[in-house]
Amino acid sequence: IYTRDLYSNKSERDELVRILKAKGEIHGYETGMILPNGKEIVVSLSVRAYPDKDYLEGAVIDVTEKKRIQEELRIERELIATAIDTMTDTFFVFNPFDGKAIRWNRAFNHVSGYEDQEIRQLNAPESYYGPADLEKARLATEKMMKGESELIEMDLLTKEGRKIPSEYSAGMIRDESGEPQYIVSIGRDISDRKESEARLKQSEVQYRNLVDMIPYGIEEVDLTGTIVFSNDAHHRIHGLKPGELIGRKIWDFAISSEDRKKNRRFFKYLIRNRPTPKPFFSKNHNKNGDIIDIRLDWGYKWGPDGELSGFISIVTDVTEQKKAFRETENLAGILRQSTDSIVLTDLEGNIVYVNPMFEKVTGYSFEQVNGKNPRILKADALPYPADYYKKMWETLERGEVWEGEFI
């Protein structure tokens, strides 16, 4: 077999001959060959010519597998390079010992505003961050030196001096012996997220201010009965300082151990059966030990997954209201049982209440006199002066007590 017949490209053989004539030898010349069985391979030729003896001497090495691996590596490098340059996040690799940039992507150029030549001349990270962020970077580098990865937030300083809030994930590239070599970081612009967080924080502040201005108590409890939120008014109801209710159980303030047990059982019932919310009344004790009447207008709190996560209640101290109601009931009882006829009117003099003795003495029922003027009871012949009733009304309108008799 003549070697000239093995070349897959005859022109390459001619090129090889030309080089040999010119230099007398060639080393590592790669070319394609076709074996007698038709298989194509790539070989590396090292040949020396002996013109005076009219023959060639050389070595042929099959580098087909090596070339295949090299091609796969080339394709992989191109894929990685393309992926890096098409990323919307910034990609930056630098030497932490001298600050020299090693690799960056188009996104970094775009965000920072620097051209490639400028980036090559700038030291990292000093050229891109302020003093406070550089301290963060220093601490993060110390951790990466120990083999940890880092996720930190820093403001990237652009060429124009703008600050771009960014979140970086970073790690250390090491050599074969495990020694630190480069730091690689991927940065994401979080300006929109920061603006959203700022708006949310402002909204939360406004909400909290509004909640704290409401004169009614507002509490939020989780499914264990633990208070997780309580506004200032709710604390005042119990005579506590802001924050002292957080972490307490809602039945902690019941006036007896039996009431605490009842409240726990009722709470479990709500979670299990989920009835329609309606006002709940209970007696609690405040910090001073005084008993207070509480009204809770409550509702369910649902989580983002639609599952029950707790309860939200408006808490009202109705101690004074109940006291006033009891006093009113007592007064009403006195009026109903009085042996004197009693008539109540509005400012226009229209009857709004009569007691049972009035009905018994006059023979009129409340339904018959309701909304009418007491003059319907006036006798035809009066033993009083003509201005008797006028003086009575003038006295009453001044807020004074009038005493007299009616026939």
Side-chain angles (χ1 to χ4, degrees), residues 68-120:
R68 184 188 66 79
I69 295 174
Q70 287 178 342
E71 179 63 14
E72 289 180 352
L73 290 175
R74 183 191 65 80
I75 293 173
E76 185 175 352
R77 285 195 298 270
E78 287 187 0
L79 287 174
I80 293 173
T82 302
I84 289 174
D85 277 333
T86 55
M87 288 170 56
T88 55
D89 293 341
T90 63
F91 178 87
F92 193 83
V93 181
F94 69 98
N95 186 323
F97 302 105
D98 60 18
K100 297 301 180 182
I102 306 300
R103 178 73 165 86
W104 57 92
N105 65 351
R106 296 299 94 192
F108 187 81
N109 291 96
H110 176 73
V111 173
S112 69
Y114 289 107
E115 299 294 334
D116 288 344
Q117 186 58 35
E118 294 174 309
I119 294 173
R120 291 189 185 95

Side-chain angles (χ1 to χ4, degrees), residues 213-283:
M213 289 172 59
I214 295 174
Y216 302 101
I218 296 178
E219 73 171 0
E220 180 181 333
V221 302
D222 62 18
L223 294 180
T224 69
T226 302
I227 299 172
V228 296
F229 173 80
S230 172
N231 70 342
D232 290 350
H234 188 215
H235 282 83
R236 287 194 296 270
I237 288 173
H238 290 84
L240 298 172
K241 297 178 181 179
E244 291 184 338
L245 282 172
I246 305 302
R248 302 287 297 274
K249 301 293 185 181
I250 53 175
W251 44 76
D252 286 350
F253 304 94
I255 60 175
S256 68
S257 59
E258 184 60 30
D259 282 349
R260 284 191 287 274
K261 292 178 181 178
K262 289 180 180 179
N263 290 346
R264 282 197 295 268
R265 287 197 296 269
F266 181 67
F267 187 78
K268 293 179 180 178
Y269 164 79
L270 296 181
I271 295 175
R272 182 176 62 254
N273 298 84
R274 302 181 187 180
T276 301
K278 60 181 180 180
F280 176 79
F281 295 88
S282 69
K283 287 185 178 294

Side-chain angles (χ1 to χ4, degrees), residues 158-191:
T158 69
K159 184 177 180 179
E160 293 78 17
R162 292 189 301 115
K163 291 184 177 181
I164 300 181
S166 302
E167 181 182 72
Y168 293 94
S169 57
M172 186 72 69
I173 298 176
R174 299 175 183 274
D175 60 21
E176 294 180 354
S177 62
E179 292 299 315
Q181 193 171 16
Y182 305 119
I183 289 179
V184 56
S185 68
I186 297 176
R188 174 165 296 177
D189 184 345
I190 56 173
S191 300

Side-chain angles (χ1 to χ4, degrees), residues 285-356:
H285 62 77
N286 61 18
K287 184 177 182 179
N288 297 326
D290 299 326
I291 296 177
I292 54 177
D293 291 292
I294 296 295
R295 169 177 173 154
L296 285 89
D297 294 279
W298 60 274
Y300 299 103
K301 181 185 177 185
W302 307 98
D305 56 357
E307 293 296 321
L308 180 64
S309 62
F311 299 86
I312 298 177
S313 303
I314 295 176
V315 184
T316 308
D317 182 352
V318 294
T319 305
E320 293 301 320
Q321 295 178 24
K322 285 206 168 188
K323 180 180 178 182
F325 178 77
R326 288 192 293 270
E327 291 176 351
T328 301
E329 282 292 296
N330 292 336
L331 177 60
I334 293 172
L335 295 177
R336 285 193 297 269
Q337 298 174 26
S338 175
T339 57
D340 294 325
S341 294
I342 298 176
V343 180
L344 300 180
T345 72
D346 61 20
L347 294 178
E348 302 297 325
N350 299 316
I351 295 174
V352 296
Y353 173 82
V354 296
N355 72 340

Side-chain angles (χ1 to χ4, degrees), residues 20 35 115 130 210 280:
L20 284 173
L35 299 180
E115 299 294 334
L210 176 62
F280 176 79

